[in-house]
Amino acid sequence: MQEQTDQNRRVLVVQWKKLAEHSLEIFSSLKNFCENHPSYNYNTLNNYLSKRKIPFENDEIRIERKPVQQRSPKPDLPKHLFWEFDYDKMDWQRSFRTVIERVIERGLPAEWETMINFYSRNRVISALTEDIPYLTDHGMEAACTYFQLSKAQLKCYTRKQLRQEHWN
């Protein structure tokens, strides 16, 4: 039953037409919107949105109900990147460091986009700067170019600089 209600969850998207900045607001319910904006009547808007199934719109506002986007439990990445793991049993949230490292090292541009969409750009950058201890020189260059970072910002680069190289 929980899965059924999650699929039917909606939010209220409000667009203020006369405001240049912050013209879009999202509310968890119509009731919350009407409590914040008492000039709009809950019953009137609810009847309009429920019966017609189209957005309410006038000169100053557009209001519509939108389904909540559910996050996929795993990214759509090729299995060959994770050949030594049981792909179907991977915990994609706990293994984010490994996933990000593999995609940066061996992934195609479309796979980079999939990774970023799944984890978010900020989380990937945070992993690169704080968590991932090793990338090849090629991986570091690619990450720095793509995310506009300097090598010194990467944890793997600063870690590499601290290690003594024996075979130079």
Side-chain angles (χ1 to χ4, degrees), residues 71 73-75 77 82 85 90-105 114-116 118-135 155:
R71 186 175 234 197
K74 66 180 182 179
L77 293 169
F82 311 98
F85 299 101
M90 276 184 74
D91 183 337
W92 295 93
Q93 293 304 321
R94 290 183 77 193
S95 303
F96 73 96
R97 290 173 202 88
T98 302
V99 174
I100 293 169
E101 179 185 325
R102 290 296 172 86
V103 172
I104 287 174
E105 291 287 338
T114 300
M115 170 192 67
I116 292 166
F118 185 77
Y119 291 117
S120 87
R121 182 178 180 86
N122 289 340
R123 187 168 183 196
V124 173
I125 290 172
S126 175
L128 289 167
T129 58
E130 300 169 16
D131 297 317
I132 297 176
Y134 180 79
L135 285 173
K155 180 179 181 172

Side-chain angles (χ1 to χ4, degrees), residues 77-88:
L77 293 169
K79 290 183 179 185
H80 70 82
L81 291 176
F82 311 98
W83 57 272
E84 75 267 44
F85 299 101
D86 186 344
Y87 184 87
D88 296 320

Side-chain angles (χ1 to χ4, degrees), residues 27-125:
F27 292 88
S28 60
S29 69
L30 182 59
K31 188 174 265 184
N32 288 344
F33 169 75
C34 292
E35 286 173 0
N36 285 304
H37 302 281
S39 61
Y40 292 94
N41 182 283
Y42 171 80
N43 290 328
T44 302
L45 287 174
N46 189 45
N47 285 338
Y48 185 93
L49 293 169
S50 297
K51 289 180 182 172
R52 297 190 184 174
K53 307 280 188 212
I54 60 173
F56 171 82
E57 194 165 0
N58 63 22
D59 291 342
E60 63 182 35
I61 196 168
R62 176 184 167 90
I63 302 172
E64 67 182 310
R65 288 182 169 139
K66 293 264 192 174
V68 174
Q69 295 287 333
Q70 295 296 318
R71 186 175 234 197
S72 172
K74 66 180 182 179
D76 186 21
L77 293 169
K79 290 183 179 185
H80 70 82
L81 291 176
F82 311 98
W83 57 272
E84 75 267 44
F85 299 101
D86 186 344
Y87 184 87
D88 296 320
K89 292 183 181 178
M90 276 184 74
D91 183 337
W92 295 93
Q93 293 304 321
R94 290 183 77 193
S95 303
F96 73 96
R97 290 173 202 88
T98 302
V99 174
I100 293 169
E101 179 185 325
R102 290 296 172 86
V103 172
I104 287 174
E105 291 287 338
R106 301 183 180 110
L108 300 172
E111 294 156 357
W112 280 52
E113 289 300 317
T114 300
M115 170 192 67
I116 292 166
N117 288 336
F118 185 77
Y119 291 117
S120 87
R121 182 178 180 86
N122 289 340
R123 187 168 183 196
V124 173
I125 290 172

